[in-house]
Amino acid sequence: MRAFAYFLCAAAVSFTAVIVPAVLTDTLTSDTRDAADVAVSTVISGLLLAVVTVPALLVLRTLRVRAGQRWHLLREWAAMYRGHDAQFPTTYGTQTPHVRCINAGLVFLLLITLAAALITSSTDPQAVAALPGVVIAGLFTWAPIKKYATRYSWAGREQAVRGRARMRQRHRDELTTAKPIQRSGIHPALLYLATLSPTVIVGIIYAVARPKNAAVLIGLGLLALTFLALGAPLAQLKRRRESTLLAETADTLRSSFTAGTVIHPVRYGLNEAPERSDVVSPSTWDGGPPRTGVLAIQPEALCLRGTDGSVLAISLTDLAGVAFLPASTAWLHPGIDLLLRTGEGIELSSPFAKDIAVALTDSGVAAASN
């Protein structure tokens, strides 16, 4: 019902935003206009605004207030009953829009561009006067896209939490059983391409329906390529800054180890936030917020030190296995997942993740395939 009410109110406001300018433009540009026609058009426009637009805006305002209250209650409920699954993503490599929202935004942009092209290409002044109404309708269309972008971001975070748990369980099964693990045969890239297919369909329809304005579609494609071209160096810049930060961390903590000890800079605390802020156990090392430290592999133990002074030593016999995790984001380094025999795990990110995994396997720790 809320969606239906929002649709009706948004349609009513968009309708008046299109009709009122069109009626006034028709009256003012008519060759036979007189004072009576202008007065009638003004009265009709005022009535539409007072009877249709104002009540619809009040209803929309009420819907927005109640939506904010529901979202606040939803987060409180999740924080109370779902524990770590309710935590929102941190700023470390997780602020990326969901692919469904990207797809919806692209479709929305193409549709608005098509409507604007159809209106502005007309020689009728009434059509040009309706352009503000198209903009308002576009804003109403964008509102639920923005709303569900937040919801999908949260849902994506919870899926990542559950996916990490499934991945760790799969790695443990590989280490404890001899039978091969069944994996999905669908590559994730194919799923992303499938979600982008509506954008391709809309683009084809645009090119067929408006072949004379196909240059607009080409311009949008070039604009998207420009953003991609600008995004590549930004991703490299973020990766370089991360490497610089980790290198400075290694220089700061090198003196806390004996001379000749090989240390690797790492970032830890990459997963859901712990219940406690002190870092005293493996589970809290796995939980956020993201922090930097170093890792050293000694003959009988693995030592972790954080820049905040925290220390964790894990005997190599307490490690059930180690899994190498390729980078999931362009500006992040690959990682390793330390699987403990207690059932816990610690995920670390480092530019030397592969070297750490190899060194652990050379020390007798079992390796799980990713």
Side-chain angles (χ1 to χ4, degrees), residues 331-369:
W331 56 84
L332 297 184
H333 295 295
I336 58 171
D337 202 14
L338 304 176
L339 305 175
L340 307 181
R341 298 190 185 277
T342 59
E344 298 175 299
I346 303 177
E347 185 178 346
L348 305 173
S349 174
S350 173
F352 306 99
K354 190 67 175 180
D355 297 336
I356 296 173
V358 172
L360 287 174
T361 54
D362 292 341
S363 300
V365 179
S369 61

Side-chain angles (χ1 to χ4, degrees), residues 84-168:
H84 294 163
D85 289 0
Q87 299 298 329
F88 283 87
T90 60
T91 57
Y92 180 68
T94 56
Q95 296 296 331
T96 54
H98 195 279
V99 66
R100 295 181 184 176
C101 299
I102 296 175
N103 182 59
L106 292 174
V107 173
F108 162 72
L109 180 61
L110 287 173
L111 291 177
I112 292 299
T113 304
L114 175 60
L118 291 173
I119 292 176
T120 55
S121 62
S122 175
T123 57
D124 189 356
Q126 290 181 330
V128 178
L131 188 58
V134 175
V135 175
I136 293 175
L139 294 176
F140 281 122
T141 307
W142 175 252
I145 294 177
K146 182 180 178 181
K147 172 184 175 180
Y148 284 102
T150 305
R151 304 292 175 92
Y152 277 128
S153 177
W154 187 29
R157 175 57 178 172
E158 292 198 0
Q159 290 175 2
V161 171
R162 290 169 174 80
R164 185 181 300 107
R166 290 193 299 268
M167 177 190 67
R168 284 180 171 171

Side-chain angles (χ1 to χ4, degrees), residues 23-304:
V23 170
L24 293 177
T25 302
D26 179 62
T27 304
L28 295 175
T29 58
S30 176
D31 296 335
T32 59
R33 71 178 185 276
D34 52 23
D37 293 337
V38 174
V40 170
S41 300
T42 303
V43 170
I44 293 176
S45 300
L47 288 175
L48 287 175
L49 293 175
V51 177
V52 178
T53 305
V54 174
L57 289 176
L58 293 176
V59 173
L60 289 172
R61 182 180 181 276
T62 303
L63 292 176
R64 182 177 181 179
V65 171
R66 291 184 178 180
Q69 293 173 348
R70 286 194 302 272
W71 182 229
H72 178 70
L73 293 175
L74 179 62
R75 288 182 296 177
E76 288 187 342
W77 169 80
M80 181 179 300
Y81 293 101
R82 296 188 184 180
H84 294 163
D85 289 0
Q87 299 298 329
F88 283 87
T90 60
T91 57
Y92 180 68
T94 56
Q95 296 296 331
T96 54
H98 195 279
V99 66
R100 295 181 184 176
C101 299
I102 296 175
N103 182 59
L106 292 174
V107 173
F108 162 72
L109 180 61
L110 287 173
L111 291 177
I112 292 299
T113 304
L114 175 60
L118 291 173
I119 292 176
T120 55
S121 62
S122 175
T123 57
D124 189 356
Q126 290 181 330
V128 178
L131 188 58
V134 175
V135 175
I136 293 175
L139 294 176
F140 281 122
T141 307
W142 175 252
I145 294 177
K146 182 180 178 181
K147 172 184 175 180
Y148 284 102
T150 305
R151 304 292 175 92
Y152 277 128
S153 177
W154 187 29
R157 175 57 178 172
E158 292 198 0
Q159 290 175 2
V161 171
R162 290 169 174 80
R164 185 181 300 107
R166 290 193 299 268
M167 177 190 67
R168 284 180 171 171
Q169 185 60 45
R170 189 191 74 200
H171 290 159
R172 292 184 183 278
D173 293 341
E174 289 180 350
L175 296 171
T176 56
T177 61
K179 62 180 181 179
I181 304 299
Q182 299 294 330
R183 296 186 177 87
S184 174
I186 302 178
H187 195 278
L190 297 179
L191 298 177
Y192 280 91
L193 291 176
T195 57
L196 291 173
S197 58
T199 303
V200 178
I201 295 174
V202 173
I204 294 175
I205 294 175
Y206 183 95
V208 173
R210 302 292 298 178
K212 294 182 180 179
N213 294 333
V216 177
L217 186 62
I218 297 175
L220 292 175
L222 293 176
L223 182 62
L225 292 177
T226 302
F227 280 114
L228 290 177
L230 293 176
L234 289 177
Q236 291 299 323
L237 179 60
K238 296 176 90 172
R239 191 180 182 93
R240 183 178 296 275
R241 288 177 177 175
E242 178 71 8
S243 300
T244 302
L245 176 61
L246 291 177
E248 293 175 352
T249 300
D251 294 338
T252 302
L253 298 176
R254 192 179 303 276
S255 60
S256 60
F257 294 89
T258 59
T261 303
V262 179
I263 63 173
H264 301 286
V266 297
R267 185 180 282 274
Y268 61 96
L270 307 180
N271 299 325
E272 59 269 24
E275 297 178 358
R276 297 178 300 175
S277 59
D278 57 330
V279 182
V280 295
S281 68
S283 61
T284 50
W285 277 75
D286 191 47
R291 291 148 286 173
T292 57
V294 294
L295 176 147
I297 302 175
Q298 299 173 344
E300 296 182 354
L302 180 148
C303 183
L304 288 167

